[in-house]
Structure formats: C-alpha cells, structure tokens
Amino acid sequence: MHFYWKVLSRITAKRCFNALLVLGSYYFSRLFKTQPVGLPISLSIEPTTSCNLGCPECPSGLKQFSRPTGNLKSEQLYNWLNPIVDQLWYVNFYFQGEPFIHKEILSQIAFVSKQGVFTSTSTNAHFITKEIAENIIASGLDQLIISIDGTTQETYEKYRIHGKLDKVLEGTANIIEAKRNLQSSTPHVVFQFLVVAHNEHQIEDAKQLAKEYDVNEIRFKTAQVYNYENGNDLIPKNDKYSRYKQLKSGKWVVKNKLENHCWRMWSGSVITWDGKVVPCCFDKDAKHQLGDLTGSSFRSIWKSTSYMQFRKKVMSNRSQIDICTNCTEGTQVWS
C-alpha cells in the first residue's frame, strides 16, 4: 500500500486531469474500441542493457538480445521527457540490464524526481557501495527494489548466475545505513524474491532476512518462464507462487484468462535505452517497436497509427500477440 499512497501523493491538477482522461478512455474503449485520450501516467525507462549476472530467463543475462546493447544518454532522456513530464506520476528506471552499471543513472533519476514524479528502480545491489548509497538518497529516488532470490549462496546463484549473495546483503546494509545516517525516509527499500522451484523452501527465511536487514518491505514475485507448456524445472510446487497450472492432459498453461483488453495499453509505455517505444515490459527484446524518439515526439508516437493498430489487436485478438500469451496479472504476493 505504501507504493500507491506515495504515487498518489504526487498529485497536481495536470496529473489528475490527465489520469481521469486515461482512466475514462480506457473503460470507454472496452465498450466501443476507441483510442486513449491523454498521455500515459507511467513509463518504464531502460538505462542500460548491460548486466553483470546471467539469469536463465533474461535476454540481458543470457546476452541473447537481437537488438543493440548500450546506455541511455542523459541529454536525450531530458529532451524526450520534458514535454510530457507534467502528466507523469511514476517513472521506473528499469527494463532490461542492471541500472547501476550506468554511470549517470542517479543524475537521470534526480532530473525526474525534481519534477515531482515518483521514481523507482530495480537492482541486484552488487554496485551499491557506501558512497553510491548516499548518492541514491541525494537523487531523490523513492523506491529501490533489490532482487534477492535465495537466502544462501547455493540457492541464490542457481538463478542469479555469477551473483554473490554477500554483495547483495552488503549493498542492502549500505543503503539502510545511509538512510539512517542522513535521516531519510526514502528510498522505500523492497526485497523482491522471485519464487522458483529451488528456492520456494526459503520463503520464511527470506521474510526473516528482510527483518534482520530492516528493509521496508518484502515482495514475492512469480516467475515468468519462456518454455512452460511441457513443464519447466523453475515452476514452483506451491500454487500460490506459480503463474502456471497443469491441465489434466499434462500440458501447462498461464493461470489467468487472456481477455481482450489491457490497462497497460492506456496507462503506460516503455522506452528503451536508444529511444524505441514498445508497448510493455513483457516485450523484453523490443520486438514490437511502435516508434522511435530519435525522430519523433513521444506524444506523436502515443497517438500514432502503429500504436493504435497494436491496441486494436489487443482489444480484438490478444491471444495472437506473442508477448501477451505469457502475461499475467498478480505477479507479486505482497507481504
């Protein structure tokens, strides 16, 4: 609940009016197949595609991108966001890659934070030194999500390949200490535990670890896997933490019914490091590029024919869109 209250605290007349337009047009579109009115209320921005880990279900970790790798240029970011920042409530500085590999990530966060926008990022915490921790607080970052997918090194490294649990915990301790020393209530520090078969036995241990390190919150996230139809070794046995269910035939399917509507098509969008606009975070390899900010404004892309056609496809035949077939709501269990 903290997250929602903090986002709502960023209310201004422009943001409120825009959000009402977006919400109204979304529900209207479910009846009449219309297009959005207003601009998105949230964005995910990709600082970099580089990552120090090799997670098995991540194109960044596997180094299997079909698109170029690189880092977001600050000047470009400022030019892209300036025309729309007054309408935004929330910016997540994360898509693929490890954000803190980018040397200018904190100045980019600071730019958006100073506009009164709620800012968040997700990290494996390997790069959060004492100095970086103090700089994180100075940037105005509102939420810091730290991936911690095991409470022992043996379990952690099964998914976070090349990762070191002691570095995660050291980074966590550094940010908590910096908050205490600087008497700062932000960022809200979240442990995010991706539940898979080999770590589901450590859920209670993870809760205890969160208490020991005095983080604000722990969230348990269900894992997305690419090849699930015939089962997958990563799918946990505890149904509560699985995105998938097994049919009597033996085949596996996504739990939630794939209905022909999607709030994300009205409320948010994703910008890659090189300015490509894609519909949502499930398009990890940016296959569905709907525009390029290096030659167009975000507003024009948001209202473009290609974006409108993609939304119409979502509203009419969502099951035929590859990134939608592995999409599910309820990906987190809030603790």
Side-chain angles (χ1 to χ4, degrees):
M1 291 302 295
H2 167 89
F3 171 82
Y4 297 106
W5 283 118
K6 289 291 288 185
V7 174
L8 286 172
S9 72
R10 304 311 166 92
I11 189 169
T12 64
K14 285 185 178 180
R15 290 189 181 118
C16 188
F17 181 67
N18 180 66
L20 290 173
L21 290 176
V22 172
L23 186 64
S25 66
Y26 168 66
Y27 282 105
F28 194 76
S29 72
R30 293 181 63 175
L31 297 173
F32 301 104
K33 310 298 187 211
T34 58
Q35 295 302 318
V37 180
L39 291 166
I41 59 178
S42 68
L43 286 177
S44 289
I45 296 172
E46 181 178 65
T48 181
T49 47
S50 299
C51 189
N52 55 310
L53 303 188
C55 304
E57 295 294 317
C58 174
S60 179
L62 293 171
K63 312 299 186 288
Q64 292 181 352
F65 279 123
S66 62
R67 58 189 175 101
T69 59
N71 297 321
L72 174 65
K73 294 181 179 178
S74 296
E75 184 177 354
Q76 287 183 319
L77 172 68
Y78 306 155
N79 290 336
W80 296 340
L81 292 191
N82 266 325
I84 62 171
V85 73
D86 287 346
Q87 282 77 31
L88 290 171
W89 294 69
Y90 170 63
V91 170
N92 180 27
F93 279 88
Y94 178 76
F95 180 33
Q96 298 299 303
E98 165 51 45
F100 286 97
I101 286 178
H102 196 315
K103 300 300 183 184
E104 298 179 10
I105 178 64
L106 291 177
S107 62
Q108 294 174 357
I109 289 171
F111 164 76
V112 176
S113 294
K114 287 176 182 176
Q115 315 304 314
V117 179
F118 184 96
T119 53
S120 177
T121 192
S122 182
T123 177
N124 59 48
H126 283 59
F127 301 98
I128 303 179
T129 62
K130 290 182 182 293
E131 181 182 3
I132 293 295
E134 292 182 355
N135 291 338
I136 288 172
I137 292 170
S139 74
L141 181 70
D142 290 291
Q143 178 175 251
L144 180 68
I145 299 172
I146 296 175
S147 296
I148 180 163
D149 305 329
T151 59
T152 61
Q153 176 62 25
E154 180 183 9
T155 301
Y156 174 79
E157 68 183 353
K158 284 184 179 179
Y159 189 83
R160 299 289 171 182
I161 295 170
H162 309 312
K164 302 295 182 183
L165 181 60
D166 60 349
K167 293 295 292 182
V168 180
L169 297 177
E170 179 185 340
T172 301
N174 287 340
I175 190 67
I176 297 301
E177 180 183 12
K179 284 179 63 177
R180 188 178 298 117
N181 291 343
L182 297 172
Q183 298 182 335
S184 176
S185 62
T186 56
H188 185 79
V189 180
V190 178
F191 268 174
Q192 181 170 273
F193 192 95
L194 186 71
V195 182
V196 288
H198 64 257
N199 70 10
E200 60 183 319
H201 67 288
Q202 293 185 337
I203 287 174
E204 294 303 318
D205 292 338
K207 292 179 182 178
Q208 183 59 39
L209 195 63
K211 291 180 180 178
E212 290 176 10
Y213 277 81
D214 200 25
V215 300
N216 298 105
E217 186 181 349
I218 185 167
R219 300 174 190 167
F220 297 96
K221 186 176 182 180
T222 64
Q224 176 191 0
V225 297
Y226 285 109
N227 300 311
Y228 60 84
E229 293 86 354
N230 296 311
N232 189 297
D233 290 341
L234 290 173
I235 298 175
K237 293 182 174 62
N238 189 332
D239 184 67
K240 179 180 179 181
Y241 298 104
S242 175
R243 294 190 187 191
Y244 312 96
K245 64 180 179 181
Q246 189 173 25
L247 303 176
K248 291 182 179 180
S249 65
K251 294 290 184 180
W252 289 77
V253 295
V254 176
K255 283 181 181 178
N256 288 0
K257 183 180 178 181
L258 198 63
E259 298 179 337
N260 288 331
H261 60 82
C262 179
W263 167 239
R264 293 187 187 193
M265 294 301 100
W266 269 251
S267 65
S269 193
V270 177
I271 300 174
T272 66
W273 71 271
D274 54 350
K276 304 301 188 296
V277 177
V278 297
C280 84
C281 60
F282 278 85
D283 190 8
K284 295 181 178 180
D285 208 15
K287 294 179 180 178
H288 299 275
Q289 294 179 12
L290 303 175
D292 189 339
L293 288 169
T294 59
S296 304
S297 69
F298 183 87
R299 188 183 298 268
S300 65
I301 294 171
W302 184 247
K303 304 285 187 179
S304 67
T305 300
S306 58
Y307 223 133
M308 290 181 179
Q309 289 176 340
F310 189 86
R311 292 188 190 98
K312 286 180 179 178
K313 191 172 182 180
V314 168
M315 300 292 280
S316 61
N317 200 0
R318 192 175 169 209
S319 63
Q320 296 304 305
I321 303 174
D322 57 349
I323 61 172
C324 294
T325 57
N326 203 359
C327 174
T328 175
E329 297 177 0
T331 59
Q332 293 174 336
V333 180
W334 301 74
S335 176

